[in-house]
Amino acid sequence: MAENAVAEELDLSKIDKICEKYKGKKGSTIPVLQAVQEEYGYLSKEMLERMGDVLNVSPHELYGVLTFYAQFYTSPRGKYVIRVCRGTACHVKGSGRISEVVKEEFGIGDGETTEDYGFTLEEVSCIGACGMAPVIMVNDKTHGNLTPEKSREIFKDYAEKFKEEE
């Protein structure tokens, strides 16, 4: 499914309701971007244009803010975001091999999303759980003390869960 097809399926009217809460308020750009991303999972050109129209702000200004902060995403991400810690402790204990397992299981590399929007891989600098290295997070759930085999089992469980949810 192409990004344009995803955008065409979206009901952008939800943006109007979100923006109305912030209209005319100083310093609302980041909260508006966060709220819209929370609703849709990412921020597209069409979404920025709609936000700009409702807030009477240039979409270019919104884009400048969104590209400055790493918390914002400009393309759809998977239902399950797999974050592989690449910090020193995790690196030393083999987190690179965990990333390879993701590639083997899902066919994606760092920053990529599966075609069915089930999974996204993000290699991150640190998760903050060095005592459990190597560590991954799948959405908000942390998995530690991993081996390639353990991580493969975890990924297969999430893949099965995703299939059931479709």
Side-chain angles (χ1 to χ4, degrees):
M1 180 184 303
E3 182 178 339
N4 289 344
V6 172
E8 288 172 3
E9 295 173 15
L10 294 176
D11 174 8
L12 296 180
S13 67
K14 295 175 186 176
I15 292 173
D16 301 351
K17 292 176 187 170
I18 293 168
C19 290
E20 286 301 324
K21 295 177 194 172
Y22 296 96
K23 200 170 187 176
K25 294 183 181 175
K26 274 190 140 213
S28 64
T29 302
I30 291 174
V32 168
L33 290 170
Q34 289 170 326
V36 172
Q37 180 169 277
E38 179 70 26
E39 179 65 38
Y40 294 96
Y42 71 106
L43 298 161
S44 70
K45 177 183 174 194
E46 294 80 13
M47 292 175 200
L48 293 176
E49 288 171 355
R50 183 75 165 250
M51 291 166 55
D53 287 346
V54 176
L55 296 171
N56 197 28
V57 174
S58 165
H60 298 291
E61 184 179 323
L62 296 170
Y63 185 77
V65 173
L66 112 87
T67 56
F68 182 79
Y69 294 99
Q71 66 179 296
F72 298 117
Y73 305 98
T74 58
S75 61
R77 295 166 18 121
K79 177 176 177 87
Y80 296 104
V81 178
I82 302 166
R83 291 176 183 88
V84 177
C85 182
R86 299 293 284 143
T88 304
C90 288
H91 173 74
V92 169
K93 292 202 171 187
S95 65
R97 183 65 186 113
I98 306 301
S99 289
E100 289 173 17
V101 172
V102 174
K103 185 163 184 91
E104 292 165 10
E105 290 297 318
F106 302 111
I108 56 173
D110 184 30
E112 296 177 343
T113 299
T114 58
E115 286 185 24
D116 61 5
Y117 295 99
F119 298 88
T120 297
L121 172 61
E122 292 180 351
E123 292 184 345
V124 298
S125 300
C126 186
I127 286 177
C130 302
M132 300 186 331
V135 179
I136 63 168
M137 286 183 73
V138 180
N139 293 349
D140 295 326
K141 185 168 181 168
T142 304
H143 302 271
N145 300 309
L146 296 175
T147 62
E149 296 75 25
K150 264 173 93 172
S151 65
R152 191 177 306 276
E153 287 175 31
I154 291 166
F155 300 144
K156 285 185 179 187
D157 288 345
Y158 278 103
E160 190 174 301
K161 188 176 177 183
F162 179 68
K163 275 185 189 173
E164 290 171 5
E165 294 167 347
E166 281 190 301

